[in-house]
Amino acid sequence: MRGFAALAPCLAESSTCESGSDCCAGFCRQTGNNQNGEPILQCVPPPVNACSNVDEPCVTPLDCCDPTNLCIAGRCARPKPPIVN
């Protein structure tokens, strides 16, 4: 037997998500708060004239909300932290 890892299928709009990589459209945003005040995250269509969070689609680093993020393989990503000796 050999095991293979595979990503779960992408989630449709309005589905509960943890990051943009979960969603078919690529965007996971806070849409409200639950009874305990915790954020509710859901897959949403691509926002118009808005920047991308980590794990959301980008073309260049300028598309990312955080100016220190990089655009790696079409997704905003945090840069690798420096190694301290």
Side-chain angles (χ1 to χ4, degrees):
M1 288 178 28
R2 294 185 349 202
F4 293 93
L7 293 174
C10 65
L11 301 172
E13 190 176 318
S14 299
S15 298
T16 302
C17 54
E18 292 182 22
S19 77
S21 60
D22 296 335
C23 305
C24 296
F27 294 89
C28 178
R29 298 288 171 99
Q30 182 174 346
T31 58
N33 293 341
N34 67 15
Q35 298 171 15
N36 299 327
E38 299 164 338
I40 297 171
L41 299 174
Q42 291 182 303
C43 295
V44 297
V48 178
N49 296 325
C51 56
S52 296
N53 296 319
V54 170
D55 290 333
E56 293 182 342
C58 61
V59 176
T60 73
L62 296 175
D63 297 332
C64 302
C65 296
D66 184 337
T68 64
N69 286 346
L70 304 173
C71 185
I72 301 174
R75 299 277 180 173
C76 290
R78 292 181 182 97
K80 183 178 176 181
I83 298 173
V84 179
N85 290 331

